């Protein structure tokens, strides 16, 4: 039996990339091996974009990837953090309001793309009074075959936390939970010290890591913001993927063209800064400017699921999520030296195999 | 069609009393009037006692009251607050570990009671790996007939908050939510300034009142701790209910005998202090000692459901729940004068009709 | 030897009234009795008005009261709370920017008053780069004759806290510290639940009550906001003081005329609301509207110094000051029942003798 | 005129080392150059050891270094953090209770040292009821010659914050304030994420950096914990300093012998761990174990004063001090990218010249 996978996602541009990597590396054929991946559902959560936008974006991505609903169900989840009213999100423009970097709003480009690649596509909106089904879906699927399901969490952990609230055995029923989120060196991308996913819903993150600390054997892997920063890909790799060869462009693949469309805003905004910054030397410039190249954070968690041998260095540690404070809400407080005596509640990934990651991209987009 | 009612409860001794008042004032007959009450479920939550104890206690109470499961379903909910690990409860001994003031542990008394009144009773334990079904049950029942269901919440608001997290229309789908909880004058019974139900799960209370603030028409009624203190009944009324007449005891009714058993601890511990304190004069003595007599907090919320004309004085106000602080977690911060401009999110009850309350008790226990 | 007194004040209109009560009840004559009061300094602090305004106002008040600097020194203290940047004050307009309800800005009125009563008055500004001398002055005077000095604190406790920081024996060296501040029933006048003086500088209040808890014998008396509310004087008493008799006005005394000038704004704004509200009945209206009449909060602390027999009911209790929280910063958390086992760190005054208070006013203003 | 210097210190073993570096690099002679340093006072604060111990230790160090009181005055400051009762220090044993790593308690060793080097030494205790004079001393000395005094702060910033509270121009009156403290990568040595000096008194740190943000030209330099970690010296350098040459020990100098005595505990405890750890490879091992060798944190701030050319890399940034939170109190929240628009309030030092540091050590101890 292949490895079943659910992606819980707030469906921004990096989520889209991660979803495409996972779905193109899935094998739904009858003779799929035990090692084969099978993305079987996407549970959607508010975060990079609103819940309705995230839902519609996930549906569009599945249409582009030509994955039928019988293979991958899209399920709507939470419309905001567990505890409402505490946090005013500032959204990164790079996601657009469509989760596709504004691709669907650039009418000419989008229509041209659709006509070439998904001519019969009709956008699917989330029904207005739909309830939050994600947590119930997660609980049900995890309990159906305990110990087999992998959950890849790429957004605020609201849905995952609700699943734990509904079933104290939820986490134990998973084979593995792989999370993109959190800052380990107090280098934030949402507040000064907090990473976006955890900053959006710190209580949800707390519920997840609290539950992880109660497991006999911890099955939670964390890819933190700083690790993604350290592994940004060069923009020239994007040139290669998109067929921007010397003296002209070779036509990219369908998914390549899609990628080119939804990362356009990010590239236009970030690449000039990156090229300026990458020539500077000092630690605080290189490390702190966060202009490290083509950075699709969520894909670093996806590759750990697609090919666990991508992980070159990691350590099991105990983390707390800061829930209070004037500046630190959502930050990780890590027991680096084990002084607290608390059992590790996650495996933090520090180093990844960039060559393997490039290979995974090539298979999907080239 | 009669008024359907669900009680969400942490099933301590005052909850038990409130449940008995509500079930004995329910009319399940075919010709029940539109005004008639019909308790149709009890959703159970961790609080005064553990979830398994609360579940078993609710089942026992239904057995004593001779209410079949076809009338009242008992549904297990949350095993602890929404955000775990933040709060160490100190439990009041008056509830016992059985929610019946230790009645079931006083073997001779309990066996005698059972033999007389529920000879075939077999305690029903909560199955070990049962999941939290309360929120899903609440959401489903409220959505089935929007605008008809009354929810009486007598414990930490965990189940209610989860229902809101699963369905943003949950509160709107209720006819009315009546809550016992919160302190309005910073007079706590759990911390210096916080009432037990809200102190146990402040985030849950916040979720409920936040949702209430979004309703076009607020349907939330709050009976705070101080109001219950102000309406404690005299211990001599208990004497009357239990038939402790001059020169001997007349046999109490079945429910009277049950009451006598489960309030014994509270009476033994509190009555001597009350009788000493009630003779003292100063405001801080009378008001702050919290030794005001026979005080079953949750019943003051129940009587507001059974007979809304019990409410003699109330005001619609906006409340915040303090989630932080060193001392104030779970306290209400009330906009008494409307300075904030925030729309009221609850109707706070200040004054109740003690005579009517006594009448309701008589019908149930005498 | 008479009783030496220092008033630490943020010199708003109620402070001015309190200062006038204290200075007109001081006896600087050679044959002053041991019971006689001798106001000997005013240390000024930022609060109701800015520090420079408070300083100038105190100087003006002493000029109006005809008290020479050899009797009462005015010393500038803190320009803001101990911990800067945490709190944005919202100032009550009733104080004006001059601490005199805008009296000095109503040029015609003010000039007329000055011409009649203080023809040679020249306003004294605080020198620009003056340092904070209040704490050092307090420490020095208290240590000079340990156990004799009374300190009446009518503003944020910044200066008092700094004195404790400079000399751990400061509080012990005082005979008595009488404070106006804090809310005991979570009824705020600055935030929903916090009183202005403590809300302005909660850390300072914490330092003071922490030090008080270390004393062998606690010498701190607290007159909280709710107690002042309970003892508001009728506006008709102001009419009487100011000689507004039927069919005309009899000329008020100099201090009466001064009072009339600096409470004009408060009277114009508050009296109509009061007269409307005082006819309404319900508890929340009477108690919570805070429109209880002529309310000069600080004077209730002053009368406790001038004539301690004004105190009719008080209780020694342990209080914490909430320093955190979203809503509760600056609130008192009181151990009403002694559950914490912490030694009382203040004597909270609940009830005062209104007749005696009126007598004190008459002596000063009539 | 030479450069006057005050060291504010909690006088643990690293402070002692820093004080010795500064005093042996001071020139009190009549012909001292304008570049010459003149340590002129040590203000003492509670931190690594109690205030009385810190006071006595500073006096002993001056005796060992043969510096008369006419050159360096020792002034007692705060006995604890600005806001008492919030923090329970856990003290590192390496300081001993004497600030000298327990040297003075190892009677034989200490007596032998004294006999050889300070035969007439009589320990000087802090008088019992002495008040806190440090802040007043700092304010007075800074105001005497504005723009000339350097302050080197090596402990909790309590004294410095009080100086600012007493004189808003204090910081501006300094030439330079050089601080050892704070964590920039959320790598704590006191809590999981907080450095000891800032964790002991976060409000004091906040007051200092808040004041620094108001300066036209910021004169505050910060040497954070992580920077000291990055520049730990090899234990073999200690061998060299102490004359532990192959085949025996050559007699160390007086200060060398003193150093050997007060770092003995630290060396015995830390060196074996270091030698084990230094052979391991991974980032989290090297960086996070904090076993980087001979680590006397405070000296990295001292060398920046003694020879500013030791600073090889630094950046002006805006920092906040976290005052709240469950885990993050005392942590820095740094605006690495200038997103907040707040003006830098300190110059953070990242890289130092280890060779120059060794040279400074040699001059003092060899
Ligand atoms: Ca995402
Ligand atoms: Ca209850
Ligand atoms: Ca005042
Ligand atoms: Ca130090």
């Amino acid at each position: 039996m292949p490895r079943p996978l659910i992606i819980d996602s707030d469906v921004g541009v990096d989520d889209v990339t991660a979803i495409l990597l996972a779905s193109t590396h899935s094998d739904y054929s009858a003779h799929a091996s035990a090692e084969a991946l099978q993305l079987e559902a996407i549970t959607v959560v508010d975060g990079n974009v609103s819940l309705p936008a995230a839902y519609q974006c996930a549906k569009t991505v599945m249409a582009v990837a030509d994955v039928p609903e019988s293979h991958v169900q899209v399920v709507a989840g939470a419309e905001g953090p567990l505890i409402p009213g505490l946090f005013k999100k500032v959204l990164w423009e790079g996601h657009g309001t469509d989760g596709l970097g504004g691709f669907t709003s650039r009418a000419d480009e989008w229509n041209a793309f659709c006509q070439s690649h998904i001519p019969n596509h009709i956008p699917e909106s989330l029904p207005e009074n739909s309830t939050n089904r994600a947590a119930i879906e997660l609980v049900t699927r995890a309990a159906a075959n305990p110990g087999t399901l992998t959950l890849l969490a790429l957004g605020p952990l609201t849905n995952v936390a609700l699943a734990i609230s509904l079933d104290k055995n939820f986490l134990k029923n998973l084979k593995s939970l792989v999370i993109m989120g959190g800052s380990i060196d107090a280098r934030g991308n949402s507040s000064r010290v907090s990473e976006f996913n955890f900053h959006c819903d710190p209580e949800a993150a707390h519920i997840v890591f609290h539950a992880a600390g109660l497991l006999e054997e911890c099955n939670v892997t964390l890819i933190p913001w700083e690790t993604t920063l350290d592994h940004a890909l060069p923009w020239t790799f994007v040139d290669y993927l998109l067929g921007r060869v010397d003296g002209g462009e070779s036509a990219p693949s369908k998914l390549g063209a899609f990628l080119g469309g939804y990362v356009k805003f990010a590239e236009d905004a970030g690449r000039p800064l990156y090229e300026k910054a990458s020539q500077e030397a000092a630690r605080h410039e290189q490390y702190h400017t966060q202009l490290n190249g083509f950075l699709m954070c969520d894909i670093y968690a996806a590759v750990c699921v697609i090919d666990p041998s991508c992980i070159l260095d990691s350590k099991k540690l105990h983390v707390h999520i800061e829930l209070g404070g004037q500046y630190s809400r959502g930050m990780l407080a890590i027991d680096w030296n084990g002084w607290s005596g608390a059992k590790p509640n996650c495996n933090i990934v520090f180093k990844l195999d960039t060559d393997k990651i490039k290979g995974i991209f090539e298979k999907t987009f080239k």
Side-chain angles (χ1 to χ4, degrees), chain A:
Chain A
M1 199 184 70
R3 297 181 292 143
L5 169 68
I6 297 181
I7 296 181
D8 186 74
S9 165
D10 57 344
V11 205
V13 292
D14 55 335
D15 303 71
V16 168
T17 313
I19 290 169
L20 289 173
L21 296 182
S23 74
T24 54
H25 285 77
S26 287
D27 181 352
Y28 300 103
S29 66
H31 51 275
S33 75
E35 294 307 294
L37 206 62
Q38 279 187 352
L39 175 62
E40 61 178 38
I42 300 170
T43 51
V44 169
V45 68
D46 176 275
N48 290 331
V49 296
S50 73
L51 184 77
Y55 179 86
Q56 185 167 320
C57 182
K59 287 299 232 179
T60 299
V61 171
M62 288 298 89
V64 173
D66 211 15
V67 178
E69 208 173 319
S70 58
H71 283 171
V72 175
Q73 196 187 346
V74 176
V75 185
E79 277 187 71
L82 223 50
I83 316 297
L86 297 186
F87 179 52
K88 255 204 152 55
K89 273 189 301 187
V90 177
L91 295 174
W92 179 50
E93 290 175 292
H95 295 300
T97 55
D98 57 0
L100 292 168
F103 194 7
T104 64
S105 318
R106 301 193 302 270
D108 291 351
E109 282 178 53
W110 178 244
N111 289 337
F113 174 81
C114 289
Q115 231 160 328
S116 302
H117 298 301
I118 44 169
N120 303 315
H121 178 64
I122 298 159
E124 274 186 66
S125 304
L126 181 66
E128 195 151 325
N129 274 321
S130 69
T131 60
N132 177 345
R133 292 284 315 164
I136 297 168
E137 191 72 33
L138 287 169
V139 162
T140 308
R141 287 183 184 254
N145 294 291
T148 62
L149 182 64
T150 294
L151 177 57
L152 173 60
L154 305 178
L157 291 167
T158 322
N159 292 340
V160 185
L162 280 169
I164 292 169
S165 297
L166 293 186
D167 184 356
K168 61 177 175 293
N169 289 319
F170 172 67
L171 207 51
K172 196 173 137 196
N173 286 343
L174 293 180
K175 184 185 174 207
S176 169
L177 169 59
V178 179
I179 298 169
M180 190 278 133
S183 56
I184 58 172
D185 290 338
R187 228 155 293 273
N189 60 3
S190 177
S191 78
R192 288 185 174 197
V193 300
S194 301
E195 181 274 340
F196 181 81
N197 284 346
F198 283 21
H199 197 207
C200 278
D201 198 344
E203 282 79 11
H206 167 78
I207 288 172
V208 171
F209 288 99
H210 183 269
L214 301 175
L215 293 177
E216 204 115 331
E217 194 144 350
C218 177
N219 58 12
V220 177
T221 301
L222 184 68
I223 289 83
W225 165 241
E226 286 88 343
T227 297
T228 75
L229 269 183
D230 286 346
H231 294 83
L233 299 173
W235 281 107
T236 49
F237 180 63
V238 178
D239 293 338
Y240 161 73
L241 286 178
L242 301 189
R244 296 171 185 162
V245 290
D246 287 337
E249 292 211 6
S250 75
S253 70
K254 175 174 69 169
L255 294 187
F258 190 48
L259 172 69
Y262 69 71
V263 304
K264 187 175 188 307
F265 185 97
E267 184 170 8
D268 288 352
R271 192 163 181 170
L273 292 170
Y274 162 71
E275 276 157 6
K276 180 168 164 291
S278 62
Q279 292 159 19
E280 302 179 15
R283 165 178 182 247
H284 37 84
E285 293 302 334
Q286 286 186 317
Y287 197 67
H288 299 144
T289 50
Q290 312 189 346
L291 300 163
N292 292 28
F294 175 58
L295 185 59
M296 296 274 114
C297 309
D298 288 343
I299 68 100
Y300 301 96
V303 299
C304 296
V305 169
I306 293 167
D307 179 359
S309 77
C310 285
I311 301 176
L312 297 183
D313 184 22
S314 69
K315 188 171 185 186
K316 289 188 172 142
L317 291 159
H318 185 270
V319 306
H320 276 307
I321 313 297
E322 175 65 68
L323 300 179
Q326 310 157 277
Y327 308 112
S328 321
R329 211 172 127 70
M331 201 190 75
L332 291 177
I334 304 177
D335 185 14
W336 290 105
N337 300 305
W339 287 337
S340 75
K343 226 170 63 174
N345 57 0
C346 63
N347 187 36
I348 302 185
V349 173
F350 299 112
K351 211 166 151 38
L352 293 160
D353 187 324
T354 305
D355 286 339
K356 286 193 175 162
I357 294 172
K358 284 181 174 170
I360 291 170
F361 264 89
E362 277 186 287
K363 177 166 167 195
T364 299
F365 291 106
K366 195 64 193 177

